[in-house]
Amino acid sequence: MIKIRKFQKFYDFLLENKKEKLELKYEDIEKIIYPEKLESSAYNHIAYFSNSKSHPISKIWLELGYKKTKLELGKYIILEKENFNINNKEVFMTNTEKGNDFEKIAKQLLEEYLKEKLEKQKKVEIGFKVKKEHKFDLGNDNYLIECKSYKWTKENNIPSAKISTLRETLYYFFLAPKNYKKILILEKSNLKNNETILDYFLRLNLHLIPEELILLEIDIENKKIIQKTIKS
């Protein structure tokens, strides 16, 4: 978990955002983090919004897969997903469509697997004392489900921002009402060191995973759901 404190609301905003590109005016950021405010250095020094993990606010967007691509000091900042290619919007659209396709496949197979109808963007209130509405990818009166289509990077490296997002998904499940069963379902990735991304995530994050969480993979090629067993 990132130590965000002052920028907790900004962290939540970025985590829930679905856009690949964001233009945020300074007043927009201050509305998000209210009653906190940006320091005066944010208005006077470019370094405040540099892509560096030494700054709390930029550490947040870097950990969540964004990068600052433009800054007008004192006016606005533009953040973009690191895998977004502004010179090839067709690539972006294709990736988005792939994500939507995976969710459709997951919905269809899960309805057969659970023998229950599911709705998209299931809304529930989450939180501790203060509650806030959150949308899970799929769900109904019994289940809350998050669907992730993740792959190793082109260089076959760990997609660190996506691993961070999976940890946050566990946190949102924890904050959700206890009467729901929770399912995390990933597209079965190619193997690296004999592990899928979900295998890798489970191996390193057993201490964060509750026993009751249902962990599934979808073998897209064979249209098959695989239930994962947590190995302690």
Side-chain angles (χ1 to χ4, degrees), residues 72 76 151 161:
E72 285 289 332
Y76 68 87
K151 300 184 183 299

Side-chain angles (χ1 to χ4, degrees), residues 187-204:
E187 179 179 351
K188 184 179 179 180
S189 70
N190 58 310
L191 296 179
K192 176 186 176 184
N193 297 327
N194 207 34
E195 288 183 316
T196 65
I197 286 180
L198 183 54
D199 292 329
Y200 172 84
F201 178 73
L202 296 180
R203 179 166 58 84
L204 295 186

Side-chain angles (χ1 to χ4, degrees), residues 148-201:
K148 306 295 181 187
S149 179
Y150 291 163
K151 300 184 183 299
W152 302 106
T153 67
K154 290 181 179 179
E155 295 77 22
N156 211 30
N157 293 324
I158 298 162
S160 56
K162 293 173 181 177
I163 295 297
S164 178
T165 300
L166 286 176
R167 293 193 188 103
E168 293 310 315
T169 298
L170 296 181
Y171 186 56
Y172 279 123
F173 278 143
F174 173 75
L175 293 175
K178 305 304 179 187
N179 57 297
Y180 288 95
K181 296 177 183 178
K182 285 87 174 181
I183 297 176
L184 175 60
I185 185 163
L186 271 69
E187 179 179 351
K188 184 179 179 180
S189 70
N190 58 310
L191 296 179
K192 176 186 176 184
N193 297 327
N194 207 34
E195 288 183 316
T196 65
I197 286 180
L198 183 54
D199 292 329
Y200 172 84
F201 178 73

Side-chain angles (χ1 to χ4, degrees), residues 19-21 64-67 79-84:
K19 295 181 179 179
E20 298 286 323
K21 182 177 181 180
L64 294 181
Y66 285 90
K67 188 175 182 180
L79 302 176
E80 297 184 57
K81 287 285 189 181
E82 288 194 84
N83 62 349
F84 178 65

Side-chain angles (χ1 to χ4, degrees), residues 32-111:
I32 293 168
I33 67 173
Y34 181 84
E36 300 287 352
K37 293 184 177 181
L38 292 170
E39 292 89 345
S40 59
S41 57
Y43 291 83
N44 300 312
H45 300 288
I46 293 175
Y48 185 92
F49 285 122
S50 64
N51 289 307
S52 168
K53 290 189 177 181
S54 63
H55 297 280
I57 192 167
S58 54
K59 181 177 181 179
I60 288 171
W61 72 59
L62 290 171
E63 288 290 339
L64 294 181
Y66 285 90
K67 188 175 182 180
K68 180 206 72 180
T69 56
K70 187 173 181 179
L71 171 68
E72 285 289 332
L73 197 59
K75 295 181 180 180
Y76 68 87
I77 183 172
I78 292 178
L79 302 176
E80 297 184 57
K81 287 285 189 181
E82 288 194 84
N83 62 349
F84 178 65
N85 185 343
I86 58 176
N87 296 316
N88 189 353
K89 293 189 177 181
E90 289 184 4
V91 172
F92 161 62
M93 291 302 295
T94 301
N95 289 339
T96 300
E97 288 166 0
K98 285 180 180 178
N100 291 338
D101 286 345
F102 174 69
E103 192 171 303
K104 289 177 184 177
I105 293 170
K107 182 176 182 293
Q108 179 183 351
L109 292 178
L110 280 170
E111 286 180 336

